[in-house]
Amino acid sequence: MKNKILWAGVVALLAGLLSQSCKTTPDPTEQSTLTLSFVPRVGSQTLEVGTGKYKNAVGEEFTVTSFNYFVSNISLKKADGTTFTIPQDSSYFLIKATNLASQKVTLRGIPTGDYTELRFVIGVDSLRSTMDISRRKGVLDPGDATHDGDGMYWSWNSGYIFMKLEGTSPSVAPDAAGNQKFRYHIGGFGGYNAKTFNNIRPVVLSLGSTAAKVGPTQQPTIEIEADIAKVFEGKEKISLAQYPTIMVSDYSTTVANNYASMFRVLNVKD
Amino acid sequence: MKNTWLILFSLGLFGWASCSRSTDVPTPEPQPEQLEMPIPTYFPKMVYNLSSNPITYDGFQLGRSLFYDGILSRNGTIACGTCHQQAVAFTHHGHDLSHGIDDKIGMRNAPPIQNMAWEKTFFWDGGVHDLDLFPIAPIENPVEMDEKLPNVLQKLRDSKNPDYPQLFKKAFGTTEITTERFTKALSQFMVFLVSNNSRYDLYLRGTTNALTATEKEGLAIFRQKCGTCHEGELFTDQSFRNNGLSIARSTDEGRFRITQNPEDRYKFKVPSLRNVGYTSPYMHDGRFATLEQVLDHYAQNVKQTPNLDPLLQQNNQLGISLTSEEKQKIIAFLRTLSDEQFVKDYRFADPGFGKAF
């Protein structure tokens, strides 16, 4: 028994030493959390999955049954110009319109400061897209149970789907099953051993004059609109009748160029 | 308390070991038995990162169980071993295009599974670049296994016969079943499938009379006329090329499907020719039943299609000039690449409990 206590002591001492030596930030009390809240919308309307009817820029009516996208590689810039980058291994998030919890991204360990700019990537960077399977955890794990039936991974052309938008439209010709569906699955990290299209898009959002003030007692939330209407008109107008299915094709970059501008800061809540 | 004793006991052993001069001291913690995979000196540099997935006896056996188990498919009928049969170097005997679940027909001919550790890309179009990511594709393909990976993992967790959680524990230390462990176990089995015991290999290793005079002549003609694409001792440069097959009724655009580069249209991966005597039918769509037909294609039937390989249109002539005698000699040589030991190795065979066809 005595030995056991001794052992516990040694372990505790070692653990203590380790935690000291691994510490990278000066004081844990000076860290806090910042939340990103993604609000799916279509133009000025709130998105109602499955039921809401909307019109795109060319006047075609549509509903949305699925709207998912990856947000990754998040960094925050302070007013003084310094940047805090979220550790890469914990910087991958999958936002789904059908899953409210997924729309709130809580970033922990944020140093105290006034943040005036938010940067992230829509999609999964090429480095992670080619990493060993052991480095693909959580939302990046193709076998994760939450993906069942709504996968964001191309198994036959190794890579993640960065943005998936599916729905119905009376403008779309019926498919083999008689359904008038549109399906946009946009991915492509640039290719592993041959150059292919690259649909990774960086996003820079300025918080304007209202900085997100992070501190021991300040845990702000940045509300960000994700506007589906922009997928059809951000840079170039896309017709559902003409393009009911966009997946692995050069035209997918048109969609990516559009969704690159779908985000907008709504407000910063203290 | 039990643990404390164990620790003390191990420490005691350790102490005893460090004082003793004996070299064969039993280790207190038995390490998983590592399997040494054959790495032929004359093969090119290995691509697969073995250090990220060392092959152990239990990992290999788990991979073998998974490979032959229909539990990977939606209704339990299709295993990897269904379309990759050992007796024909892990191809689908007698099928031009593979047929999968519910008798659905696939889009291409099932290639052999052999020497996977040296493969830079997988599939005829090279769509997958990492063997550990490969199994997800046939599992989720609606015409192959038509299952979802999360569902496969759940079925394995619930499986009693065989007791997969226990098999995973033996292989990886705990009963946890993750994507990584699942695909890495399959990789351990597949990586271990090394074919290097054909008569040609014996010849390479110094048994000069392992090949007949005709076969040696065939080898020389082959190296001269086919050896640019089917180069080295794996008999492939692993590039993607259009070899001039007729595209009259085909909608398969090959590598273009992956890269969307118009210059890749109708290009397919140059396959290894090891065990080619077993792997009929040939080409990405299994259109040729015999090696004679394959050589006839190169000699007489190469078609001028977009992106036709420059090597097949030299001196204003399509194809490769081959006399019928040369063809016969090449075929005689190609048959020396058949590795009987490989296709009969009991270690690679169906362990017997699989429910698949």
Side-chain angles (χ1 to χ4, degrees):
Chain A
M1 206 58 205
K2 219 173 173 183
N3 280 319
K4 211 171 185 179
I5 295 165
L6 196 69
W7 268 109
V10 170
V11 168
L13 195 71
L14 278 172
L17 280 171
L18 265 173
S19 68
Q20 284 300 312
S21 57
C22 294
K23 199 177 287 177
T24 50
T25 40
D27 188 351
T29 58
E30 287 182 11
Q31 289 183 7
S32 191
T33 63
L34 171 80
T35 302
L36 307 179
S37 172
F38 290 91
V39 184
R41 285 182 154 178
V42 187
S44 56
Q45 297 166 270
T46 311
L47 174 69
E48 285 176 44
V49 178
T51 53
K53 287 187 172 142
Y54 313 96
K55 272 200 173 139
N56 67 10
V58 294
E60 297 163 325
E61 192 181 278
F62 67 94
T63 69
V64 173
T65 52
S66 190
F67 177 49
N68 310 334
Y69 52 87
F70 277 106
V71 166
S72 72
N73 292 277
I74 302 170
S75 67
L76 295 155
K77 200 168 155 187
K78 283 187 196 171
D80 64 12
T82 59
T83 296
F84 176 74
T85 304
I86 309 298
Q88 231 234 354
D89 277 346
S90 34
S91 203
Y92 294 89
F93 301 94
L94 177 56
I95 319 293
K96 294 184 171 186
T98 51
N99 181 339
L100 267 180
S102 76
Q103 295 165 22
K104 289 236 186 310
V105 170
T106 304
L107 307 172
R108 297 173 206 287
I110 309 295
T112 291
D114 293 356
Y115 294 95
T116 56
E117 192 181 276
L118 168 68
R119 286 172 185 247
F120 57 86
V121 159
I122 313 173
V124 177
D125 53 286
S126 58
L127 196 61
R128 185 70 56 164
S129 294
T130 53
M131 271 187 191
D132 186 87
I133 187 100
S134 62
R135 306 291 303 276
R136 299 155 183 260
K137 301 289 187 199
V139 294
L140 296 178
D141 179 354
D144 190 86
T146 59
H147 296 335
D148 209 358
D150 192 18
M152 293 291 280
Y153 182 75
W154 281 322
S155 57
W156 55 276
N157 187 359
S158 300
Y160 293 92
I161 297 171
F162 302 157
M163 199 269 333
K164 181 192 265 189
L165 178 64
E166 292 185 354
T168 62
S169 169
S171 303
V172 170
D175 61 21
N179 297 316
Q180 292 175 290
K181 288 187 184 174
F182 70 92
R183 302 171 176 90
Y184 292 179
H185 297 182
I186 311 302
F189 60 86
Y192 181 68
N193 38 30
K195 198 175 178 313
T196 62
F197 52 88
N198 185 335
N199 285 324
I200 299 169
R201 290 292 178 276
V203 172
V204 181
L205 295 176
S206 168
L207 304 186
S209 51
T210 50
K213 295 178 195 300
V214 176
T217 57
Q218 292 162 298
Q219 303 177 339
T221 296
I222 305 174
E223 255 193 0
I224 301 160
E225 169 190 273
D227 182 4
I228 292 170
K230 289 286 197 304
V231 176
F232 298 108
E233 58 174 306
K235 265 194 155 173
E236 203 174 304
K237 285 180 187 171
I238 298 175
S239 154
L240 285 165
Q242 198 181 350
Y243 292 103
T245 306
I246 307 174
M247 293 184 187
V248 179
S249 69
D250 277 344
Y251 195 70
S252 66
T253 57
T254 308
V255 184
N257 293 339
N258 280 354
Y259 67 55
S261 66
M262 74 176 169
F263 294 105
R264 185 169 68 97
V265 174
L266 290 174
N267 58 58
V268 180
K269 289 178 182 164
D270 288 332
Chain B
M1 202 57 202
K2 218 172 165 189
N3 283 325
T4 316
W5 282 115
L6 199 68
I7 291 170
L8 286 174
F9 177 67
S10 327
L11 279 173
L13 269 182
F14 185 68
W16 173 73
S18 56
C19 301
S20 139
R21 282 171 185 263
S22 169
T23 49
D24 54 351
V25 177
T27 42
E29 278 275 325
Q31 291 297 308
E33 190 191 333
Q34 303 269 327
L35 287 187
E36 192 96 20
M37 69 173 276
I39 300 173
T41 51
Y42 45 87
F43 276 18
K45 193 173 175 289
M46 205 194 290
V47 178
Y48 190 77
N49 183 5
L50 269 185
S51 65
S52 77
N53 188 21
I55 303 176
T56 62
Y57 176 79
D58 291 318
F60 170 86
Q61 292 299 356
L62 170 60
R64 181 182 169 200
S65 297
L66 294 167
F67 186 87
Y68 284 107
D69 199 332
I71 197 169
L72 270 55
S73 66
R74 169 171 47 76
N75 61 9
T77 59
I78 306 292
C80 309
T82 305
C83 298
H84 298 282
Q85 301 165 354
Q86 186 188 4
V88 283
F90 296 95
T91 57
H92 205 180
H93 184 61
H95 290 81
D96 48 358
L97 304 175
S98 282
H99 80 101
I101 201 160
D102 303 332
D103 280 341
K104 286 182 178 152
I105 302 295
M107 64 185 284
R108 292 181 187 142
N109 180 260
I113 299 180
Q114 58 184 3
N115 307 327
M116 300 303 266
W118 288 268
E119 294 258 345
K120 291 176 187 157
T121 60
F122 303 90
F123 286 124
W124 282 101
D125 57 24
V128 175
H129 62 260
D130 182 344
L131 185 61
D132 296 340
L133 298 173
F134 183 87
I136 309 167
I139 288 169
E140 300 208 339
N141 189 326
V143 300
E144 294 185 46
M145 294 175 171
D146 194 29
E147 182 53 290
K148 295 282 177 230
L149 182 59
N151 215 25
V152 172
L153 300 182
Q154 195 52 48
K155 286 193 288 185
L156 293 173
R157 288 172 194 131
D158 297 340
S159 170
K160 298 280 183 289
N161 183 28
D163 188 340
Y164 275 113
Q166 281 307 315
L167 294 180
F168 273 81
K169 188 179 178 185
K170 274 171 110 179
F172 297 110
T174 68
T175 55
E176 197 189 358
I177 298 180
T178 62
T179 304
E180 181 190 356
R181 288 178 171 188
F182 168 72
T183 66
K184 285 194 170 173
L186 277 165
S187 288
Q188 287 191 32
F189 176 71
M190 291 191 282
V191 159
F192 202 77
L193 300 178
V194 177
S195 173
N196 68 329
N197 286 308
S198 65
R199 276 202 288 126
Y200 173 73
D201 290 288
L202 291 185
Y203 172 76
L204 274 189
R205 293 199 285 261
T207 311
T208 47
N209 62 356
L211 301 190
T212 66
T214 309
E215 288 160 354
K216 283 177 195 166
E217 281 175 53
L219 168 61
I221 302 164
F222 176 87
R223 288 291 187 205
Q224 185 206 339
K225 303 216 172 181
C226 319
T228 311
C229 307
H230 294 286
E231 64 122 33
E233 302 308 349
L234 292 175
F235 299 91
T236 172
D237 65 355
Q238 302 204 38
S239 64
F240 299 88
R241 296 172 188 261
N242 174 359
N243 65 344
L245 296 171
S246 161
I247 52 171
R249 286 162 301 177
S250 172
T251 53
D252 192 342
E253 296 181 312
R255 180 83 174 143
F256 174 76
R257 183 170 181 249
I258 301 303
T259 65
Q260 296 295 308
N261 178 353
E263 289 175 13
D264 284 338
R265 210 167 248 140
Y266 308 117
K267 287 185 183 174
F268 294 88
K269 186 163 31 163
V270 175
S272 168
L273 298 181
R274 286 189 164 268
N275 288 309
V276 75
Y278 293 124
T279 60
S280 156
Y282 306 106
M283 302 296 143
H284 66 271
D285 53 8
R287 67 176 68 191
F288 300 137
T290 64
L291 291 171
E292 284 76 9
Q293 288 174 10
V294 172
L295 288 176
D296 286 348
H297 162 73
Y298 285 115
Q300 298 138 41
N301 297 324
V302 168
K303 300 279 182 293
Q304 181 70 59
T305 57
N307 304 315
L308 175 64
D309 201 87
L311 290 169
L312 293 174
Q313 43 182 331
Q314 299 184 100
N315 311 320
N316 290 323
Q317 212 175 341
L318 290 181
I320 305 168
S321 75
L322 288 168
T323 65
S324 57
E325 200 193 338
E326 285 175 323
K327 286 189 226 168
Q328 286 312 314
K329 284 177 180 169
I330 289 174
I331 290 169
F333 158 67
L334 289 175
R335 293 196 186 283
T336 72
L337 295 172
S338 294
D339 182 349
E340 199 178 333
Q341 199 174 315
F342 178 71
V343 298
K344 289 186 175 161
D345 194 324
Y346 70 95
R347 296 172 303 168
F348 308 156
D350 187 339
F353 53 78
K355 293 169 281 290
F357 294 134

